[in-house]
Amino acid sequence: MADYEILTPDTVVPYLDRTPSLQGIVDTSTLQVREVGDGNLNLVFVCQDADGKGICLKQSLPYVRLVGESWPLTPKRILAEARGLEAGATFAPGLVPQYYGVDDVTHVLAMENLIGWGMFRAELNEGHAYPDVDRQLGEYIARVAFNTSYFAVEQNDLKDRVAAAVNPELCRITEDLVFTEPYIDVPNNAFVPELADEVAALRADETLRAEVGMLKWAFMTEAEILVHGDLHTGSVMVKQTEDGSQCRVIDPEFCYYGPVGFDLGALVGNFLAARARAAVLGRPAEFQTWLAAAGPTIGDAFEAEMRRQWADRLDPTWTDGMLDAWLAKVAVDTIGFGGAKAIRRIIGLAKVSDIQTLPPTEHVLAATIVLRTASRWIKERAALGTVAAANAVFDEVAAEVLGEARG
Ligand code: SR1
Ligand code: MG
């Protein structure tokens, strides 16, 4: 049970009216309020007044919404979200929603209402390409990465920030759901019987299990930058404008200081699911080609932006050669984390609509492509070295799985 007021669409207006920091953003006398939270954890209220001005309120519940009150979870996670949003607003302005503040009593965060924007995952599911959003995402990660790392922050100061940003309960969810549970038999897991042999093969693969262990170790020990922590395609809003495609990164409640490859990998792993869906549905070649290029484009944009900011680094120990070595390691981490993030969405709790909304035959084909590709990514990541090389594995596996299906 909550020991604070849980908002409903009917209580949002009185809440706004009594909260001084949120005055004047919208006209509450004409406000329309809808609860639209379709994620796994929180309530989300989108509000729009008669003049079209909006505000979005996100309230964390004291439990996991997807499961219910039997899984308690700290509502203080909204403060982590505020930290992540502020970092984005400071270092990557224009790539996150405008942030209006957080209330640590009611656990409500207020931000821009992205009226008219769509969720990237839903758009990809419909076969809609968003050229340039991939580049913007790579830039977003690089800007937050550089400016929240030892590259740009004084050593003692950064250690204080790392300590202040520990997010143990949310990290524990990732540690369990991404790295541990898919590989063992636990009630959180679910998959159709046709995938049982594929899942058993992953679980029996000692090389894979050892490499997943190494990835979990990196996630738990490498306090490198303020990572978003849950940067899948459902954490990105997109819009086509006259100036081209735009994106806004949302939902950084899992943020903590971790390895930067985790955020890049989250996107690449979710593009793997999107590619598998597009392949089994036979989407137009133009869309599939753009989707295939999106992962490498994110990696290239990340690298370009890191190199652009490099002149501003604080410490001469960070030489140009060190940057090359660091970028190479990040690329390898990206492939590995991408694989782990993809596998969890097939086997474990909290699945993705890219795969779940497919008809039964296509579901099994797409899930098989994801599992086999992701397993190879994790095991072969050092040799693959680039997201483009990892993409070639997808092409091989997709041809194999779709070929088997055709007989
Ligand atoms: C119990 S929370 C399940 C998932 O939802 C979030 O979006 C994260 O991906 C988490 O792993
Ligand atoms: Mg989320």
Side-chain angles (χ1 to χ4, degrees):
M1 290 297 286
D3 57 2
Y4 56 92
E5 179 195 354
I6 302 292
L7 294 178
T8 69
D10 291 337
T11 58
V12 162
V13 164
Y15 174 79
L16 288 171
D17 285 341
R18 69 170 185 267
T19 305
S21 60
L22 301 179
Q23 301 301 303
I25 299 171
V26 287
D27 174 3
T28 55
S29 71
T30 64
L31 206 65
Q32 300 286 320
V33 181
R34 280 185 307 131
E35 203 284 309
V36 297
D38 61 354
N40 298 320
L41 299 175
N42 308 296
L43 297 174
V44 179
F45 300 92
V46 292
C47 316
Q48 190 172 7
D49 69 18
D51 293 333
K53 288 185 288 180
I55 189 169
C56 174
L57 300 184
K58 180 168 179 178
Q59 185 175 41
S60 53
L61 295 165
Y63 54 85
V64 173
R65 182 176 187 175
L66 175 69
V67 175
E69 294 188 25
S70 62
W71 187 340
L73 187 65
T74 176
K76 290 193 185 307
R77 61 187 183 272
I78 206 73
L79 301 178
E81 174 142 355
R83 180 179 293 112
L85 205 47
E86 273 194 293
T90 306
F91 303 121
L95 294 175
V96 296
Q98 239 180 299
Y99 168 57
Y100 299 140
V102 69
D103 177 339
D104 63 0
V105 175
T106 55
H107 311 292
V108 171
L109 183 144
M111 63 188 140
E112 177 185 3
N113 185 3
L114 295 171
I115 297 163
W117 294 65
M119 185 191 286
F120 199 17
R121 185 187 305 286
E123 293 296 304
L124 296 175
N125 283 352
E126 293 303 313
H128 300 153
Y130 280 80
D132 201 51
V133 157
D134 37 15
R135 182 194 61 76
Q136 294 167 37
L137 289 169
E139 259 184 42
Y140 161 84
I141 296 174
R143 288 195 194 148
V144 175
F146 185 85
N147 289 290
T148 63
S149 73
Y150 286 118
F151 295 140
V153 183
E154 192 279 327
Q155 286 158 258
N156 290 6
D157 184 9
L158 190 73
K159 289 181 177 67
D160 288 341
R161 294 191 201 187
V162 171
V166 288
N167 197 357
E169 287 192 50
L170 280 285
C171 283
R172 179 65 189 259
I173 289 176
T174 303
E175 290 154 17
D176 291 345
L177 267 52
V178 175
F179 299 108
T180 298
E181 294 191 356
Y183 306 93
I184 56 176
D185 191 15
V186 293
N188 275 341
N189 294 331
F191 44 85
V192 295
E194 291 86 341
L195 291 172
D197 288 348
E198 297 291 335
V199 173
L202 294 192
R203 291 178 177 169
D205 186 336
E206 287 303 329
T207 307
L208 176 67
R209 300 285 296 273
E211 294 301 334
V212 170
M214 291 302 292
L215 291 166
K216 181 173 180 177
W217 184 259
F219 178 85
M220 295 172 81
T221 62
E222 291 183 13
E224 192 173 42
I225 67 148
L226 187 68
V227 291
H228 177 288
D230 197 26
L231 191 45
H232 53 83
T233 48
S235 294
V236 179
M237 302 297 283
V238 290
K239 190 178 183 182
Q240 307 279 14
T241 71
E242 356 181 275
D243 300 327
S245 302
Q246 289 190 32
C247 73
R248 298 284 185 272
V249 173
I250 61 169
D251 276 5
E253 70 204 301
F254 282 75
C255 79
Y256 82 115
Y257 280 81
V260 65
F262 190 72
D263 277 354
L264 290 159
L267 287 168
V268 168
N270 277 268
F271 278 121
L272 168 53
R275 285 196 72 190
R277 176 187 179 89
V280 301
L281 290 178
R283 293 285 194 214
E286 195 184 12
F287 175 68
Q288 292 201 51
T289 302
W290 171 76
L291 202 47
T297 302
I298 288 172
D300 291 348
F302 170 78
E303 176 172 341
E305 187 62 16
M306 286 302 300
R307 291 192 184 283
R308 193 190 66 72
Q309 299 172 105
W310 194 239
D312 297 330
R313 66 197 183 280
L314 294 181
D315 186 335
T317 315
W318 319 134
T319 65
D320 290 347
M322 184 268 178
L323 176 61
D324 292 341
W326 185 82
L327 287 168
K329 176 190 178 297
V330 170
V332 170
D333 286 354
T334 298
I335 300 165
F337 286 127
K341 296 283 273 185
I343 288 173
R344 67 74 60 106
R345 296 295 186 191
I346 304 296
I347 301 175
L349 184 72
K351 304 222 179 324
V352 287
S353 56
D354 319 41
I355 306 297
Q356 293 308 106
T357 60
L358 288 168
T361 303
E362 286 79 6
H363 170 84
V364 173
L365 290 174
T368 303
I369 292 170
V370 170
L371 292 178
R372 290 189 194 171
T373 303
S375 171
R376 285 189 53 190
W377 281 7
I378 293 169
K379 291 186 290 185
E380 299 170 23
R381 65 191 186 286
L384 291 168
T386 65
V387 179
N391 261 345
V393 174
F394 172 91
D395 294 333
E396 276 174 44
V397 172
E400 169 189 294
V401 172
L402 297 177
E404 282 170 15
R406 281 185 213 109

